[in-house]
Amino acid sequence: MAAMAAKEKKEDKPLRHGYTTGACATAATKAALIALITQERQSHATIRLPIGQDVTFEMDSCEYDEQSAMAGTIKDGGDDPDATHGALILSRVEWLDEPGIVLDGGVGVGRVTKPGLPVPIGEAAINPVPRKMIRETAQAILDQYEVERGIKIVISVPAGEEIAKKTLNGRLGILGGISILGTRGIVVPFSTSAYKASVAQAINVAKEAGCDHIVLSTGGKSESFGMEMYPELSEEAFVEMGDFVGFALQQCKRKQMKKVTLVGMMGKFSKVAQGVMMVHSKSAPVDFGFLAQMAEAAGADAEMVRQIKEANTASQVGDLMADTPAFFEKMGENCCLAGLKEVRGRMEIETMIITMKGSLLGRVTRNDTDDESDRHRG
């Protein structure tokens, strides 16, 4: 009982927020600039986040001479660490002969090579809000110390190129490192905003690349299967939507995609077939009663229906129904119709359901015409 109580207490404990790469870069810039002006080492820097909260960052390093200074802080992802958790974020500030503030990215900060992102091609992948934070914070320090000289700020992440391999940056056309991100300054544990933003950006990049057919996958294995099925499509056409089926479909509709192919496995697509558009395991458990109903409609006998109701995983149900194509056709059709309802029609949606080993279980396409799409607007 004591162990159970301790577990419940732990689960009730509020999750700790982390901070974005943009917030870290801003704090490092403030520390470096003050060190350059005062010629004194800075151990901390306090900045105001976009959400209006003041936060103090500890500096991991701070070096300076009369011409330049560099400070760095370790990114803390809180209780929802992402790929950049623990990364050293550095800012180097140097004097310029000309007035103004120049901001750029150095080692480990990616550079934009494709259209469709909030940063122009050729520039460092420092998103608009962090750019604004860094510039405004730097200008405030210059004003505070009554300094009228120009400065150049270069943000770098020594491990950035390696970290970027764990992100979508390469697919988005951001090469050479990570992006400096953040619209609020904090990372909310288990929040969906960062991943959804990357999905939206990926679909926008696909649109700018001329794609009108997007292949949305729930993970790496399903994406690889989609690539095998559609070798003629460009790399930009393949987007990992994760659990955000509804959001990804809506983004495709906004960008006027003509066709969307959904690729995934039994577990998540059994939920989509019910109309569940956020398929994280904590948000929506597998409904084995629903799977049993579909199996019965596909011709399964009473014993098979009973086994499905008592199954432990959706994958197990897939194995049980492996010799009943009608079951997977019905599930695929339900997924297509649920997707069409989500986007209010006028789109072709294809569903491909695959096994854990990458074998095709079912493939169904539904093409909504203008007349048919009226059914999805109720």
Side-chain angles (χ1 to χ4, degrees), residues 317-339:
V317 175
D319 293 340
L320 290 169
M321 297 302 292
D323 297 325
T324 311
F327 173 78
F328 301 104
E329 184 174 342
K330 184 64 178 173
M331 180 180 288
E333 180 181 32
N334 285 347
C335 289
C336 291
L337 293 176

Side-chain angles (χ1 to χ4, degrees), residues 216 245-254 257 260 277 336-349 368 373 376-377:
L216 299 175
V245 181
F247 175 80
L249 283 169
Q250 289 167 4
Q251 293 299 309
C252 288
K253 182 65 179 292
R254 283 186 61 213
M257 294 295 167
V260 175
M277 291 290 143
C336 291
L337 293 176
L340 288 169
K341 183 176 181 181
E342 180 73 11
V343 300
R344 300 172 72 84
R346 290 183 179 157
M347 180 188 286
E348 180 179 351
I349 296 182
D368 225 26
S373 64
H376 304 290
R377 296 185 183 159

Side-chain angles (χ1 to χ4, degrees), residues 171-239:
R171 186 68 53 79
L172 295 172
I174 300 171
L175 305 181
I178 66 167
S179 303
I180 303 300
L181 303 171
T183 55
R184 304 175 71 225
I186 62 170
V187 178
V188 180
F190 305 112
S191 71
T192 61
S193 57
Y195 196 93
K196 285 167 75 173
S198 69
V199 170
Q201 283 192 345
I203 292 169
N204 196 44
V205 167
K207 177 69 174 179
E208 293 292 331
C211 301
D212 60 7
H213 177 191
I214 292 280
V215 179
L216 299 175
S217 58
T218 53
K221 185 168 289 187
S222 52
E223 182 182 65
S224 296
F225 185 87
M227 288 178 167
E228 290 176 11
M229 298 300 287
Y230 285 105
E232 72 277 11
L233 294 182
S234 65
E235 182 184 53
E236 292 86 359
F238 299 92
V239 177

Side-chain angles (χ1 to χ4, degrees), residues 80-102:
D80 189 27
D82 59 13
T84 59
H85 176 67
L88 174 62
I89 312 294
L90 293 169
S91 178
R92 184 177 188 274
V93 182
E94 64 180 54
W95 296 121
L96 293 178
D97 294 332
E98 300 294 324
I101 297 174
V102 175

